Amino acid sequence: MSNAASAAEGRGSTSKLVYFFGALGGMLFGYDTGVISGAILFISPDLGLTPFLEGLVVASLLLGAAIGAACAGPLSDRLGRRNLILIAAVTFTVGAIGAALSPNVAVLVLFRVVLGLAVGAAALIVPLYLSEIAPTEIRGAISSLNQLMITVGILLAFIVNALLADSGAWRWMLGLAVIPSLILLVGMYFMPETPRWLVSRGRENEARDVLLQSRTEEEAENEIREIKEVEREEEGGLRELAAPWVRPALIVAIGLAVFQQIIGINTIIYYAPTTLKNVGYGDAAAIYANLIIGAVNVLMTLVAIRIIDSTGRKPLLLGGLVGMIVSLTVLGLSTLLLSEPSSPTDTVAIITLLCLAGFIISFAATWGPTVWVVLPEVLPLRIRGTAMGVAIFLHWIANFIVSQTFPSLLAALGPGIPFLGYAVIGVLAFIFVSAFVTETKGRSLEEIEADLQERASFASG
Ligand code: BGC
């Protein structure tokens, strides 16, 4: 092996750890959002919850996440990406222990909000950290690691739920999240700050050291020069969010973050067992089918990671929508037009499972990871943290609204009309992506930003 090759390999193994710990926050995000679907079945009788309080226990985390995302943006610009991940790790740990030991529903809701703060912060900071630390050629794949870890977290939660279902040990279901929280806390302590943030604080030597862990000297120097050029041209600050040249990027970021939720993904992730029971499945069959959904979610995310840097972001977003719209339409029409099922072998029950799987396959291979990859890519550096905060805040509010309303819609209307509604939203998302999203694959973050400036000045003059 040549010297250059072995040096590259050495750099590779150091940087892999950075990616792993960076993405562990995504796993906690997945676990803490996924675990409640099973745990709530046992919390309810134990703490004597009314349906309203049940909803509050599930949704309080989503509200906490909205607040976490809103604060994490400005905080990550001020304190640094790494420090904020450390703060989120402490919050995850406190939230997991507190929720597991809650003596009553008030304390439980409080700690679900605390956990939500960490989930919301992680949803913002992990993709930001990964995209700023990864070299251009593999940035898509590395940033998708976040989504892979989210899906692994969800699957782990589904497995834990299934294993503990017999004993109904909901405190353990919630409390086990403390293990990855502590791994994140300890691991992140040894990981570096991102070079882009360091340069923006005038700490160029430290930035160079970090870059040399995953790039050659020449690549590192070029990248520092590029980052500094972009820095010089910008003014920064909250005010700039309203600047005309930033607006197209902001519209893309907000649109993608919100559409990813209102297409209805979490009606499946949080409520697939409920929907399956609605079309004739028993409890056990619904829980096992849920495991299949969790596993398909992970597998298809792996496929996305393999193809995202070659296929590009936009074709994935559009292709995924076609799959989701078809699945939702077939699901909606079959439950509306065919006779009501009473067992899992009835036609509608089979079609429902196939369509839920078809939706998850289409989402996981495309929108799941792509949105988290594109968000930090399209937003200009100086406002990246703040602007992602705005987009991800709205993402959680959208999640909250969909997750709160779905059970009532299902109870009142059955699955047909709600799923056709999500299909219509899918069509709107298709129009949005076609009109507003530009391709970002294979371009450095600085090139994407220069292009944005150029197009804005072309449009205004
Ligand atoms: C979404 C989550 C969703 C998960 C499913 C993520 O990208 O933001 O809301 O539960 O994907 O894998």
Side-chain angles (χ1 to χ4, degrees):
M1 192 190 291
S2 72
N3 283 348
S6 65
E9 190 166 283
R11 283 198 306 272
S13 55
T14 337
S15 56
K16 268 182 202 134
L17 265 186
V18 179
Y19 303 143
F20 172 76
F21 284 110
L24 202 56
M27 196 187 108
L28 281 157
F29 166 168
Y31 189 92
D32 284 316
T33 52
V35 76
I36 202 68
S37 65
I40 195 71
L41 300 178
F42 309 105
I43 297 175
S44 278
D46 207 19
L47 298 183
L49 303 188
T50 60
F52 171 78
L53 287 175
E54 227 175 67
L56 196 64
V57 169
V58 174
S60 46
L61 181 137
L62 305 176
L63 280 186
I67 301 169
C71 303
L75 278 180
S76 81
D77 287 341
R78 203 162 311 145
L79 303 177
R81 292 25 172 154
R82 169 182 171 274
N83 283 342
L84 198 64
I85 298 186
L86 285 172
I87 294 172
V90 172
T91 315
F92 270 124
T93 312
V94 172
I97 297 174
L101 299 178
S102 304
N104 56 42
V105 64
V107 177
L108 179 57
V109 166
L110 179 81
F111 280 106
R112 292 277 298 163
V113 174
V114 170
L115 268 177
L117 295 174
V119 170
L124 179 135
I125 200 71
V126 172
L128 185 59
Y129 182 84
L130 292 174
S131 82
E132 288 190 351
I133 214 142
T136 303
E137 333 69 79
I138 56 163
R139 195 180 58 234
I142 291 301
S143 302
S144 316
L145 249 191
N146 175 49
Q147 176 68 14
L148 179 65
M149 297 295 262
I150 294 176
T151 61
V152 168
I154 292 173
L155 178 61
L156 274 180
F158 289 176
I159 293 173
V160 167
N161 284 349
L163 289 177
L164 295 176
D166 279 345
S167 59
W170 64 267
R171 292 180 190 278
W172 279 101
M173 294 176 186
L174 302 187
L176 281 174
V178 91
I179 299 174
S181 311
L182 288 175
I183 297 178
L184 176 65
L185 184 61
V186 175
M188 225 28 229
Y189 182 78
F190 296 100
M191 296 300 123
E193 181 50 82
T194 75
R196 285 185 176 75
W197 187 82
L198 288 169
V199 171
S200 80
R201 294 283 134 158
R203 290 155 63 175
E204 198 179 311
N205 288 341
E206 286 169 71
R208 184 170 296 109
D209 289 344
V210 176
L211 284 169
L212 286 174
Q213 289 175 19
S214 58
R215 285 118 166 122
T216 62
E217 253 167 62
E218 197 191 333
E219 285 165 348
E221 290 312 321
N222 284 342
E223 205 157 323
I224 288 188
R225 201 174 331 108
E226 277 193 349
I227 298 173
K228 280 165 69 182
E229 268 163 27
V230 169
E231 273 280 296
R232 250 199 311 278
E233 286 163 14
E234 289 173 18
E235 286 164 22
L238 240 186
R239 226 172 353 114
E240 196 153 349
L241 280 189
W245 77 275
V246 174
R247 212 171 293 147
L250 200 59
I251 290 174
V252 169
I254 292 177
L256 291 180
V258 169
F259 272 121
Q260 198 217 35
Q261 287 302 315
I262 58 179
I263 184 97
I265 174 65
N266 287 319
T267 65
I268 299 175
I269 297 294
Y270 304 166
Y271 295 111
T274 315
T275 304
L276 290 169
K277 279 174 74 176
N278 202 281
V279 295
Y281 282 73
D283 279 348
I287 282 187
Y288 285 117
N290 208 27
L291 283 180
I292 296 175
I293 286 177
V296 167
N297 197 17
V298 175
L299 288 177
M300 293 314 293
T301 307
L302 282 170
V303 172
I305 292 180
R306 287 200 75 88
I307 60 178
I308 191 165
D309 282 313
S310 54
T311 314
R313 288 47 163 160
K314 194 166 177 177
L316 278 187
L317 289 170
L318 292 173
L321 280 170
V322 173
M324 287 188 272
I325 293 167
V326 169
S327 306
L328 290 166
T329 309
V330 174
L331 175 54
L333 289 179
S334 66
T335 50
L336 277 182
L337 303 178
L338 301 176
S339 60
E340 205 164 292
S342 57
S343 89
T345 51
D346 288 351
T347 317
V348 173
I350 295 171
I351 293 180
T352 301
L353 183 58
L354 289 179
C355 289
L356 292 183
F359 182 97
I360 287 291
I361 289 171
S362 313
F363 177 92
T366 63
W367 275 69
T370 308
V371 167
W372 299 118
V373 170
V374 172
L375 246 49
E377 284 182 346
V378 291
L379 292 166
L381 174 68
R382 282 285 287 276
I383 53 129
R384 193 170 291 151
T386 311
M388 279 185 69
V390 173
I392 297 178
F393 171 77
L394 295 172
H395 168 91
W396 286 107
I397 295 289
N399 186 356
F400 175 76
I401 293 170
V402 172
S403 307
Q404 265 296 257
T405 51
F406 181 71
S408 324
L409 290 175
L410 190 64
L413 306 168
I417 302 208
F419 283 121
L420 285 179
Y422 301 126
V424 171
I425 291 173
V427 173
L428 296 178
F430 195 95
I431 297 170
F432 175 84
V433 173
S434 310
F436 292 109
V437 176
T438 47
E439 186 54 62
T440 46
K441 93 168 177 191
R443 301 159 70 199
S444 77
L445 297 182
E446 288 70 27
E447 281 166 4
I448 296 169
E449 190 164 335
D451 182 48
L452 195 65
Q453 297 253 27
E454 216 166 84
R455 272 187 296 139
S457 61
F458 181 71
S460 64

